[in-house]
Amino acid sequence: MDIKTKYDLGQLVYLITDSEQLDRMITGIKVNPNGLVYTLAQGVNETYHFEIELSSRRNIVKALGINEN
């Protein structure tokens, strides 16, 4: 089986909903019937997210607390 992923292990990514835009490292990728689930580490915390929640670019506007509208 060959699985293509948008993001790679060890890559730094950002959660698009994170108001602080903290960088997180991809430490795991799990395949399940609903798609891929990425394990993200930020400090000592690990969280699990779908690809649609991630971005490879930091949203500086959101990090500064500026309303985009």
Side-chain angles (χ1 to χ4, degrees):
M1 178 181 349
D2 209 13
I3 298 173
K4 305 246 186 236
T5 61
K6 184 174 180 180
Y7 304 103
D8 297 317
L9 290 172
Q11 183 175 353
L12 293 180
V13 295
Y14 304 91
L15 290 174
I16 61 173
T17 57
D18 178 20
S19 61
E20 296 181 71
Q21 291 292 287
L22 300 173
D23 55 337
R24 292 165 164 79
M25 181 180 286
I26 296 176
T27 57
I29 302 171
K30 179 180 174 183
V31 179
N32 70 30
N34 296 322
L36 300 175
V37 177
Y38 291 83
T39 304
L40 305 183
Q42 198 284 313
V44 296
N45 299 315
E46 278 192 334
T47 55
Y48 307 94
H49 302 275
F50 291 105
E51 197 169 85
I52 194 170
E53 300 176 85
L54 308 179
S55 173
S56 59
R57 293 184 177 189
R58 184 175 189 225
N59 184 335
I60 300 296
V61 173
K62 186 175 282 224
L64 293 174
I66 300 170
N67 189 349
E68 293 179 10
N69 296 329

